[in-house]
Amino acid sequence: MFEKVLVANRGEIAVRVMRACDDIGVDTVAVYSDADKHAGHVRYADEAYNVGPARAADSYLDHEGIIDAARQAGADAIHPGYGFLAENAEFAGKVEETEGVTWVGPSADSMRQLGEKTQARKTMRDADVPIVPGTTDPVESVEDVHEFGEEHGYPIAIKAEGGGGGRGMKIVRSEDEAAEQLESAEREGEAYFDNANVYLERYLENPRHIEVQILADHHGNVRHLGERDCSLQRRHQKVIEEGPSPALTDELREEIGRAARRGADSAGYYNAGTFEFLVEEDPEREPGELLGPETNFYFLEVNTRIQVEHTVTEELTGVDIVKWQLKVASDEELTFEQDDVELEGHAVEYRINAENAANDFAPATGGKLETYDPPGGIGVRVDDGLRQGDDLVTDYDSMVAKLIVHGSDREECLARSRRALAEYDIEGIPTIVPFHRLMLEDEAFVGGTHTTKYLDEDLDEERVAEAQEQWGTETESEDSSDDDVVERDFTVEVNGKRFEVNLEERGAAQLATTAAAENGGGERPEPAGGSDDGGETVVEGDGETVEAEMQGTILDVNVAEGDEVEPGDVLVVLEAMKMENDVVASHGGTVTQVAVAEDDSVDMGDVLVVID
């Protein structure tokens, strides 16, 4: 077994991996960006190294920086968690080539084979795993989309080879949309996965999203740990996951599990992974009815890493998946047979995102956890990296914690979930806890008849607003009675390694900011033309302003000064929370100012375009 593992991630998954390491006596190393210097995963680790500024590309995605931190710390393994570099075959290959450091995950070759969706489809087809009708080679031009539509009909899904979770996927509902959606999918694939290749699939209108957890070792042993139902999604992003699926018969469940094992074995896969499938739902199915073995199911993709929702399977099986990732990476053999795997009861995971569900799930732009009191009791698990008083870091993902509830059956699990969510006390930031409580009163979810389209197409938004009003918590900080207490944190880095000093003084004056000190304590000067770091954009054009509705990065600017636009025209493409968001014109007119450029970072309320 390893002596010291560097966790190349942040947040709750970094803490989750570190806890598994502690359980088997392995020391841990955290890496952190400037934005995360006080983060929970940094506090939890045995030692921590700064790897760069807040921007992920310069810190958590910096291949050499992460590997160099492992060398400095003397780590003999790197665990990537999920997200960031977890499915980056190039990075995995670099770690494999680093003397004395082991990659905790599948081989770089397997990641290339299964991470690129067209190659994965070929592999599954050869293993007799059903695949959705589509292409197995990258799309070369918009004419390819037209030809596919003529053969298979519309709608068509255009998917990025390196994509996942809906990122890099665009839906074409008619020939007229093909060119625009193809360009958008290619751009998103390049931006997120450094791979602009895309492929085509027939788009299934009413699917369920079923995934199978795989564990495999270096000795040829492949096990599946049952399935998870991830059908409750918003814009292809999972919100609630559960297992077993409330919609499948045991026969269909086992058939899908065998298909996943065949696929893993054919690909020579080892370590943890998830084989995802789409199952065609029967729109006439009533609650309590189940989908039998005659139901069509199709391979979707392989996630060559640990999943956010792996916790559901752990609660059902008692198997510590992260611990087995470490054991497999250190060349240990799986000690259980497929027949030993039994699913006990029912488990559900609720993603606790810092978002306002009543405001189109807009992510929080800041805040402090004035109150943080997670639930407890039998059958309740919380994975997080937070503590009361922490500032919310908004530079990355919006998920701050995960609530996992287990019961003897689905009915008990949902009842226990209602209790646990009611106990979850978070104040200072918005969360989607009210949304989760609404789902536990929702007929479709409770009946298990929901599909991946349910939240986007069928859920009444007024019900979400009512839930937020009924169960939402305060997001504004109360005046503190300790205003005369000044806490000063000093972080010293020596060769990139972190050392901290914390001082708390009562009755002390606040330290002057650098800018104020440089100007004799006076006001910070306004730069000529434009804005300072905390100021507002100078609006020079005449007309109405179009502002950013959330924090993000500008991916594309589609207009220039002098352009004529119509209502609904896309002005700017804004990336926020790993999703592309089209900023459209609400009225027609002439563009008199474009205040942003490609790759600019913007905050909520920043002016993007002015239209007269």
Side-chain angles (χ1 to χ4, degrees):
M1 181 50 68
F2 309 115
E3 294 185 1
K4 185 184 291 187
V5 173
L6 181 144
V7 184
N9 218 295
R10 63 179 300 277
E12 64 83 19
I13 186 57
V15 174
R16 166 71 186 94
V17 174
M18 292 171 188
R19 284 174 171 156
C21 290
D22 280 351
D23 285 351
I24 53 179
V26 175
D27 291 339
T28 57
V29 180
V31 292
Y32 65 96
S33 72
D34 290 346
D36 271 338
K37 63 182 179 179
H38 299 303
H41 74 286
V42 177
R43 295 191 297 259
Y44 194 93
D46 295 307
E47 55 187 292
Y49 290 78
N50 183 286
V51 288
R55 185 169 178 262
D58 300 322
S59 51
Y60 294 112
L61 296 175
D62 181 355
H63 296 195
E64 301 307 325
I66 299 292
I67 293 173
D68 186 58
R71 289 196 189 99
Q72 290 186 60
D76 51 355
I78 293 178
H79 192 301
Y82 56 72
F84 291 133
L85 295 171
E87 292 184 279
N88 189 303
E90 179 185 356
F91 177 68
K94 289 179 180 178
V95 175
E96 290 172 346
E97 294 169 359
T98 301
E99 185 176 355
V101 181
T102 298
W103 171 250
V104 181
S107 69
D109 287 342
S110 287
M111 293 175 71
R112 292 187 187 97
Q113 182 179 6
L114 296 175
E116 292 190 353
K117 303 304 185 286
T118 52
Q119 182 61 44
R121 284 169 57 82
K122 293 177 182 177
T123 301
M124 294 303 108
R125 181 189 60 196
D126 294 343
D128 196 28
V129 176
I131 63 174
V132 179
T135 62
T136 51
D137 291 308
V139 173
E140 298 293 337
S141 68
V142 70
E143 284 73 25
D144 292 341
V145 183
H146 294 162
E147 291 175 6
F148 187 86
E150 290 174 3
E151 180 179 356
H152 297 282
Y154 293 89
I156 302 168
I158 305 179
K159 296 185 174 184
E161 275 196 342
R167 288 168 292 180
M169 182 173 79
K170 300 298 173 182
I171 308 304
V172 181
R173 298 193 176 275
S174 67
E175 183 176 319
D176 294 341
E177 297 178 1
E180 179 184 351
Q181 298 292 50
L182 175 61
E183 179 184 350
S184 181
E186 289 175 335
R187 182 176 62 238
E188 203 167 299
E190 178 69 30
Y192 291 124
F193 312 108
D194 196 27
N195 182 352
N197 287 340
V198 299
Y199 65 101
L200 307 177
E201 281 185 355
R202 181 167 69 85
Y203 185 62
L204 302 181
E205 290 286 7
N206 291 293
R208 297 191 73 85
H209 186 132
I210 304 296
E211 60 186 30
V212 178
Q213 177 68 58
I214 289 291
L215 265 178
D217 60 26
H218 298 158
H219 306 278
N221 299 302
V222 181
R223 310 283 184 261
H224 80 76
L225 304 181
E227 95 284 0
R228 300 183 289 256
D229 192 317
C230 305
S231 299
L232 199 74
Q233 303 180 4
R234 177 184 172 274
R235 297 181 184 174
H236 308 289
Q237 295 292 309
K238 302 166 187 173
V239 185
I240 297 176
E241 304 99 341
E242 62 181 309
S245 170
L248 307 186
T249 59
D250 289 339
E251 293 83 1
L252 180 57
R253 173 175 296 114
E254 185 57 34
E255 190 175 341
I256 296 173
R258 286 196 299 267
R261 288 185 70 192
R262 286 199 307 273
D265 192 51
S266 177
Y269 191 89
Y270 60 77
N271 213 276
T274 303
F275 282 64
E276 301 197 346
F277 298 87
L278 293 179
V279 177
E280 286 196 317
E281 176 64 280
D282 177 3
E284 304 300 320
R285 186 173 64 86
E286 296 291 334
E289 296 180 357
L290 299 176
L291 299 171
E294 74 284 353
T295 303
N296 291 327
F297 68 91
Y298 304 102
F299 169 78
L300 176 63
E301 63 184 10
V302 181
N303 287 294
T304 56
R305 53 170 168 81
I306 196 73
Q307 290 275 91
V308 174
E309 59 273 18
H310 74 278
T311 56
V312 169
T313 300
E314 290 181 330
E315 295 305 304
L316 292 174
T317 63
V319 175
D320 187 327
I321 299 172
V322 176
K323 188 186 295 184
W324 270 112
Q325 282 190 289
L326 297 164
K327 289 183 175 182
V328 167
S330 62
D331 213 28
E332 292 189 30
E333 187 171 359
L334 293 174
T335 57
F336 57 91
E337 300 297 327
Q338 185 62 57
D339 290 343
D340 297 330
V341 178
E342 295 183 1
L343 305 184
E344 298 287 343
H346 199 89
V348 182
E349 175 183 276
Y350 304 88
R351 299 191 184 199
I352 310 302
N353 297 339
E355 300 171 357
N356 185 344
N359 185 25
D360 198 30
F361 288 80
T365 58
K368 175 179 291 220
L369 288 165
E370 301 295 343
T371 299
Y372 185 73
D373 187 10
I378 188 169
V380 175
R381 165 181 171 180
V382 176
D383 279 21
D384 60 23
L386 304 170
R387 69 182 179 195
Q388 189 162 298
D390 280 357
D391 289 323
L392 179 67
V393 175
T394 59
D395 299 81
Y396 313 106
D397 197 278
S398 64
M399 190 173 68
V400 295
K402 301 183 309 198
L403 170 65
I404 307 96
V405 181
H406 183 255
S408 60
D409 55 27
R410 192 170 190 258
E411 183 179 4
E412 181 180 69
C413 183
L414 297 187
R416 185 168 286 162
S417 296
R418 294 184 186 96
R419 185 263 297 172
L421 286 163
E423 286 183 11
Y424 215 141
D425 190 5
I426 304 176
E427 294 185 4
I429 63 172
T431 72
I432 60 171
V433 166
F435 167 82
H436 290 316
R437 297 181 71 175
L438 171 65
M439 286 298 96
L440 293 175
E441 296 182 352
D442 182 80
E443 182 178 345
F445 177 74
V446 173
T449 60
H450 58 288
T451 70
T452 59
K453 310 292 182 62
Y454 177 66
L455 294 184
D456 292 331
E457 298 180 0
D458 298 321
L459 183 64
D460 185 351
E461 293 183 2
E462 290 186 6
R463 295 177 60 208
V464 180
E466 291 169 0
Q468 186 68 32
E469 183 176 353
Q470 180 179 358
W471 294 309
T473 56
E474 295 294 328
T475 58
E476 296 294 331
S477 301
E478 300 288 340
D479 289 336
S480 172
S481 60
D482 293 327
D483 287 342
D484 57 341
V485 178
V486 177
E487 185 174 329
R488 298 172 178 170
D489 294 315
F490 299 90
T491 301
V492 180
E493 294 173 15
V494 180
N495 294 326
K497 186 173 181 179
R498 169 195 184 93
F499 299 90
E500 294 183 29
V501 178
N502 177 275
L503 298 177
E504 185 177 283
E505 299 181 59
R506 295 184 180 271
Q510 294 284 349
L511 290 174
T513 64
T514 302
E518 290 175 352
N519 290 285
E523 293 294 326
R524 204 170 162 185
E526 178 81 16
S531 65
D532 65 5
D533 291 341
E536 298 180 355
T537 302
V538 176
V539 179
E540 298 172 340
D542 295 326
E544 296 186 28
T545 60
V546 178
E547 300 175 351
E549 296 184 354
M550 61 190 76
Q551 183 186 55
T553 302
I554 302 298
L555 286 184
D556 196 23
V557 178
N558 294 342
V559 293
E561 290 183 14
D563 285 356
E564 296 291 330
V565 297
E566 299 292 334
D569 285 353
V570 178
L571 308 174
V572 168
V573 181
L574 173 67
E575 182 273 322
M577 306 317 300
K578 305 178 183 176
M579 294 292 291
E580 281 193 19
N581 300 272
D582 291 339
V583 180
V584 301
S586 60
H587 62 279
T590 304
V591 176
T592 60
Q593 182 182 355
V594 178
V596 291
E598 187 176 328
D599 294 329
D600 282 356
S601 295
V602 296
D603 291 321
M604 179 182 290
D606 283 359
V607 175
L608 307 177
V609 178
V610 182
I611 301 174
D612 188 13

